[in-house]
Amino acid sequence: MSDRHHELDGDPFDDDRPVFGERRRRALRVVVLIAVGALVLPIVLSIYGVARAAADRACAQYVAAYDADALGSRVSFELFARGGPGWQCFATAGHGNDTHIANLGLLPSAPRIQIIDERQS
């Protein structure tokens, strides 16, 4: 029962060096990074497209409710905006000036428009 099992001993020719060389490991890292980028990029582009479309629709509703003289609306994504990072809604006037209407946030949703009735105040 106390016999030694020679098959469990290490390989006498094993020199504990890495199996792959440095060039092959570097190439493998580059391939993995490209593969991960190829998996993540479509998701990022899809999220951007959905957020842009939602921001366009929400901004059009805000401009229609709050600026009757505007000719159109425009949205832009800004990282360092006054209200924090997110989509900014602008009303486009006839003379080329844009008026900031709302900060729509990172993922815009349907607007909650509050119309103030001047007769009640």
Side-chain angles (χ1 to χ4, degrees):
M1 285 283 199
S2 63
D3 294 334
R4 263 184 92 196
H5 297 284
H6 297 289
E7 56 272 346
L8 297 179
D9 292 341
D11 186 10
F13 301 107
D14 189 16
D15 56 1
D16 293 331
R17 289 186 307 167
V19 178
F20 303 120
E22 183 63 31
R23 290 179 71 196
R24 185 167 178 182
R25 280 190 285 157
R26 186 175 296 134
L28 188 61
R29 286 179 186 148
V30 168
V31 168
V32 167
L33 287 175
I34 290 172
V36 168
L39 289 172
V40 171
L41 185 64
I43 295 169
V44 170
L45 292 177
S46 176
I47 290 172
Y48 175 80
V50 169
R52 174 72 186 221
D56 281 334
R57 288 190 305 270
C59 185
Q61 290 180 3
Y62 273 120
V63 169
Y66 292 126
D67 194 353
D69 297 333
L71 297 177
S73 62
R74 172 180 77 80
V75 295
S76 66
F77 185 81
E78 297 180 13
L79 286 175
F80 302 106
R82 192 177 324 146
W87 294 95
Q88 305 298 317
C89 175
F90 297 94
T92 305
H95 47 81
N97 288 345
D98 291 341
T99 305
H100 185 265
I101 299 295
N103 181 359
L104 302 174
L106 291 174
L107 294 173
S109 62
R112 289 179 231 135
I113 298 174
Q114 299 172 354
I115 303 295
I116 299 171
D117 192 3
E118 294 176 2
R119 293 176 291 188
Q120 293 177 354
S121 51

